[in-house]
Amino acid sequence: MRVGRTWIIAALLAVMVGAALAETPAEKDARMKWWDEARFGLFVTWGLYAIPAGIWEDGRVCRNEYGEWIASDLAIPYSQYARLASRWSPAKWDPESLIRMAAEAGMKYLVFTTKFHDGFSMFDTKASDWSVVKSTPWAKDSFRGLADAARKYGLKLMPYYSILDWRHPDYDPRAPFNDLAAGHPDLDRYLVFLKAQLTELQTNYGPLAGIWFDGNWSKTWTEARGRDLDAFVRRLIPGAVVNNRVGPPKDGVNGIVQGDFSTPEEKIPANGLPGLRWESCMTMNETWGYRKDDLKWKNPVTLIRMLIDCASKGGNFLLNVGPTAEGEIPGPSLLALREFAAWMKVNAAAIYGTQAGPFPKTPSWGRVTRKGDALYLHVFDWPADGIMVLPLSNSARAARILGRPGAQVKFEREPTGLKLVLPKIDLDPSATVIELILDGAPALIPAK
Ligand code: FHN
């Protein structure tokens, strides 16, 4: 009986210690502050798959829109896929130029594919010889240049790391096309490798801001493993921000192990994800890794409006660039980054540090972000008569158009709301932003 009581006391103590160590909401908000304010990040998907670029040497075309999936999609024996390493020599790779453009575009953090599902390490690792430094004639560290430039231009580092690994002999389940692995896989042994690589990333490239996990959907990736990995990263990286793909997916958006934010992909939730932090990750065309045959580039106006849409719903926007095998940034990606730079130079205040707008319904004319008593009206469709009535019982203290110092916005209270009289001006094709300072927190007039 005494032993039973001891166990109960020990269990209670463990619960009490756990509760005492559990992060408070205020502590979590403090940890997430930079991420909440950043709103905009750069995703770089780069690896051996950029060499075939969607079309294998025998002419077969990757049917999956994601060119980085070519090995799996075409069931290429890994021994043949591995031969790509001998052709890796990106003579035109200029990581500092890419990061400078990203910083000018307003991106505040970098998510780089340090290890994609193909198991090829795009950084200098002692945990494997299967890496860009040890297995290619180029023999350089792809991540080092990006990490140094990110530090120089003020982008936080959040490496992408795939739990799923098509090459490692211990990843379970083993990829059917992995003809190089022998024996039986042992996921616990694989996790020793995985944690060793995460430790290298923090030790050699850090301090990191967190980890962007991916490849969390195999049946063997249990909630317990997710929680263990989540806890490991938080011990390894002080203040780490971790996405929800650290644990197994539940409904494709909110993993069972929530991590710190949800990761809707190639879509923006219609009403955001109330009560959750979230980040929409988006391609500029339809593939993450470069494909020579993917010409479906999104218009820069569309992409800028996606950033605005995410911020107006309280979310972040992670926009992908897929460099070519030579290390070049595709022309349409360069154009988009330049367009973002021009728009953010004028309108960054309407994005950084903002929260979702106050209106329950998305306005027909554009989107709204909020920062305290200030509303930012991102106008896509300028009213022809120059009149805009907002369903607010507030009065306004001031109003201006960002980047238009000479333009005047008049405002007056009306029974139906707060009326703005807008000038006729040259409009920004993406969004012309009105900064409206209210007399307090937005007070909505309920729709009839
Ligand atoms: O399978 C990957 C895919 O290749 C790409 O990396 C995306 C980016 O979020 N994540 C996985 C698909 O959800």
Side-chain angles (χ1 to χ4, degrees):
M1 188 57 94
R2 177 173 291 281
V3 170
R5 201 168 62 176
T6 306
W7 271 112
I8 289 167
I9 293 168
L12 283 173
L13 279 173
V15 168
M16 286 160 64
V17 167
L21 294 177
E23 187 177 51
T24 65
E27 288 166 339
K28 179 166 185 176
D29 287 346
R31 176 170 57 85
M32 293 299 297
K33 188 171 183 295
W34 76 265
W35 191 90
D36 291 337
E37 292 179 348
R39 285 285 173 257
F40 192 20
L42 171 67
F43 202 155
V44 178
T45 301
W46 198 37
L48 296 177
Y49 37 78
I51 295 174
I55 302 172
W56 193 242
E57 54 203 33
D58 59 8
R60 286 182 294 156
V61 177
C62 181
R63 293 154 305 179
N64 183 324
E65 67 268 39
Y66 295 167
E68 66 278 9
W69 269 76
I70 191 165
S72 171
D73 184 72
L74 299 181
I76 296 162
Y78 204 98
S79 55
Q80 292 181 27
Y81 181 81
R83 291 202 307 247
L84 294 172
S86 64
R87 295 165 52 193
W88 182 263
S89 185
K92 296 178 181 173
W93 177 236
D94 182 351
E96 174 150 355
S97 167
L98 172 57
I99 297 300
R100 186 184 63 252
M101 284 188 286
E104 288 166 358
M107 293 162 156
K108 292 295 186 183
Y109 55 102
L110 167 67
V111 174
F112 172 65
T113 49
T114 55
K115 193 197 74 159
F116 181 64
H117 310 334
D118 65 358
F120 186 68
S121 296
M122 289 289 282
F123 66 100
D124 192 8
T125 174
K126 292 184 170 40
S128 164
D129 288 343
W130 183 227
S131 79
V132 68
V133 175
K134 295 180 187 161
S135 296
T136 74
W138 190 58
K140 294 189 183 78
D141 179 347
S142 311
F143 189 34
R144 174 58 61 199
L146 286 170
D148 292 348
R151 222 167 300 292
K152 177 176 178 180
Y153 290 97
L155 275 75
K156 289 191 176 285
L157 284 179
M158 187 182 284
Y160 167 112
Y161 193 93
S162 176
I163 297 162
L164 167 61
D165 191 310
W166 293 330
R167 171 66 188 87
H168 198 286
D170 280 325
Y171 182 77
D172 180 17
R174 182 166 295 162
F177 53 91
N178 182 359
D179 58 350
L180 296 178
H184 295 288
D186 177 331
L187 201 54
D188 291 323
R189 210 166 36 209
Y190 170 71
L191 275 168
V192 170
F193 160 79
L194 182 152
K195 290 176 178 177
Q197 288 208 312
L198 296 182
T199 303
E200 287 181 309
L201 288 169
Q202 169 67 351
T203 306
N204 302 332
Y205 302 88
L208 303 179
I211 300 289
W212 207 98
F213 285 107
D214 202 6
N216 59 327
W217 49 75
S218 299
K219 287 275 177 286
T220 53
W221 193 250
T222 61
E223 183 179 340
R225 291 189 185 283
R227 291 196 186 286
D228 169 70
L229 183 55
D230 186 81
F232 172 80
V233 170
R234 296 184 193 284
R235 289 192 301 272
L236 175 68
I237 303 171
V241 173
V242 181
N243 74 348
N244 73 332
R245 301 189 188 185
V246 65
K250 183 171 64 177
D251 54 12
V253 173
N254 310 321
I256 293 175
V257 176
Q258 287 299 344
D260 293 309
F261 62 93
S262 290
T263 51
E265 180 171 315
E266 296 281 66
K267 59 183 177 237
I268 298 171
N271 301 307
L273 292 174
L276 286 177
R277 286 181 169 91
W278 57 277
E279 167 201 79
S280 279
C281 54
M282 192 62 65
T283 56
M284 286 202 191
N285 43 9
E286 294 194 332
T287 178
W288 301 92
Y290 176 70
R291 279 191 75 138
K292 60 179 80 108
D293 61 344
D294 181 342
L295 305 178
K296 298 173 188 162
W297 297 97
K298 300 175 182 80
N299 182 303
V301 169
T302 302
L303 293 169
I304 291 170
R305 289 185 177 182
M306 284 180 173
L307 168 63
I308 295 168
D309 193 22
C310 285
S312 75
K313 295 165 180 169
N316 284 18
F317 187 53
L318 182 67
L319 185 56
N320 182 71
V321 169
T324 68
E326 294 73 28
E328 288 184 299
I329 308 307
S333 300
L334 292 172
L335 171 65
L337 289 173
R338 281 197 295 271
E339 293 295 322
F340 268 100
W343 191 84
M344 285 293 276
K345 188 173 177 189
V346 172
N347 301 293
I351 297 292
Y352 294 145
T354 61
Q355 288 77 41
F359 304 120
K361 275 187 64 197
T362 302
S364 58
W365 44 261
R367 297 293 184 273
V368 181
T369 54
R370 176 188 173 191
K371 205 181 296 181
D373 295 348
L375 295 185
Y376 292 95
L377 315 179
H378 302 254
V379 185
F380 301 164
D381 302 317
W382 201 259
D385 60 2
I387 302 298
M388 185 184 278
V389 180
L390 301 172
L392 295 168
S393 57
N394 300 81
S395 296
R397 298 211 319 266
R400 67 184 177 112
I401 299 174
L402 298 187
R404 305 289 202 294
Q408 193 185 16
V409 175
K410 295 178 187 144
F411 47 82
E412 59 188 5
R413 277 243 35 92
E414 278 205 339
T416 56
L418 180 56
K419 177 179 170 184
L420 304 183
V421 181
L422 308 179
K424 285 199 179 311
I425 54 170
D426 292 338
L427 301 172
D428 185 302
S430 298
T432 301
V433 181
I434 299 163
E435 179 187 65
L436 178 65
I437 310 296
L438 301 175
D439 59 354
L444 295 184
I445 294 173
K448 288 222 182 343

